[in-house]
């Protein structure tokens, strides 16, 4: 159990170092979400076109 504690103690500073937010200025969340929604709807449409036996 001490190895788990020491590993957790080493990860705490690593996790605390990422407080900058991590967002890139060129990535719009609305564009990313809209693109993902479009791709998922396209895959759903393709799947239903190939599944005509129901």
């Amino acid at each position: 159990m001490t190895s788990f504690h020491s590993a957790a103690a080493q990860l705490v500073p690593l996790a605390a170092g990422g407080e900058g937010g991590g967002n890139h200025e060129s990535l719009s969340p609305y564009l990313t979400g809209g693109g993902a929604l479009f791709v998922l709807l396209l895959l759903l449409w393709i799947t239903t076109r190939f599944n005509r036996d129901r």
Side-chain angles (χ1 to χ4, degrees):
M1 193 54 115
T2 58
S3 63
F4 177 75
H5 180 68
S6 64
Q10 291 174 355
L11 289 176
V12 167
L14 181 65
E19 293 180 5
N23 293 335
H24 197 271
E25 288 83 11
S26 67
L27 290 177
S28 169
Y30 295 109
L31 183 64
T32 305
L37 178 63
F38 174 75
V39 168
L40 288 174
L41 288 175
L42 180 67
L43 288 173
L44 179 65
W45 182 79
I46 291 171
T47 303
T48 56
R49 296 303 107 197
F50 280 113
N51 196 11
R52 291 191 179 268
D53 58 342
R54 287 184 166 243

